[in-house]
Amino acid sequence: MKKVITYGTFDLFHIGHLNLLKRARLYGDNLMVAVSTDEFNTGKHKQCIYPYKHRAAIVEALGIVDRVIPESSWEQKITDIQRYNIDVFVIGEDWKGKFDFLKEYCDVVYLERTQNISTTDVKQSVQNGQAVDGEAVVNPDGA
Ligand code: C2G
């Protein structure tokens, strides 16, 4: 079984998150997602709208996700990869290069981000009472 892991906040879950997870899943046959805890997000200077237990439950309910674990520190990735026998680490290209040190333990893949959507965009749209930009690509490259 080829195991994939990815990490993220996944607040106000949107098509960019879904595309990332669908494409990450294609790199193996088991996908683990480490969802950032509220405390960890404070350290990332991210104020989430949904609390951790909601964000984790939404991600876990996706058919393509096999397991969710909490992400509570920057340092846990190596331990996670070893503990769960991870073969592939996947994350969006906004992190390109930041996790190359994991290449010693598993494959590292940076995926193209979905354009025209972000949690910040969603917040802005809600505040303005406007729809988000529908141009965000659904199912890029056959995900
Ligand atoms: N993402 C994407 N396209 C978007 C928005 C997000 O592909 N339009 C990807 C990000 O690149 C990331 C994942 O979706 O791989 C989750 O994004 P965030 O919830 O913003 O997570 P982030 O704050 O980047 O946390 O230790 C790593 C961090 O926990 C990553």
Side-chain angles (χ1 to χ4, degrees), residues 44-130:
K44 287 199 277 185
H45 309 295
K46 281 198 168 189
Q47 175 60 44
C48 285
I49 301 295
Y50 293 161
Y52 168 76
K53 61 184 179 183
H54 292 201
R55 292 181 285 113
I58 290 167
V59 171
E60 192 151 45
L62 298 173
I64 53 171
V65 174
D66 296 280
R67 183 170 177 186
V68 166
I69 60 170
E71 179 188 28
S72 50
S73 79
W74 290 110
E75 292 75 28
Q76 73 182 71
K77 292 183 176 68
I78 293 173
T79 312
D80 291 344
I81 287 164
Q82 293 173 323
R83 175 181 301 154
Y84 299 109
N85 299 312
I86 300 296
D87 301 291
V88 190
F89 167 89
V90 176
I91 200 161
E93 64 183 357
D94 42 319
W95 294 92
K96 193 162 182 62
K98 298 288 192 306
F99 300 114
D100 287 355
F101 67 91
L102 297 175
K103 286 179 180 173
E104 194 179 329
Y105 305 94
C106 66
D107 295 342
V108 174
V109 176
Y110 299 102
L111 291 175
E112 192 178 337
R113 278 175 67 94
T114 300
Q115 300 305 310
N116 305 320
I117 190 74
S118 68
T119 300
T120 305
D121 292 342
V122 174
K123 286 179 185 172
Q124 197 64 53
S125 292
V126 169
Q127 282 166 354
N128 301 341
Q130 290 172 332

Side-chain angles (χ1 to χ4, degrees), residues 14-35:
H14 56 68
I15 194 67
H17 295 143
L18 182 61
N19 287 342
L20 186 286
L21 294 176
K22 286 171 77 174
R23 292 166 68 204
R25 180 65 177 70
L26 298 176
Y27 281 85
D29 34 38
N30 183 287
L31 175 61
M32 178 177 283
V33 183
V35 176

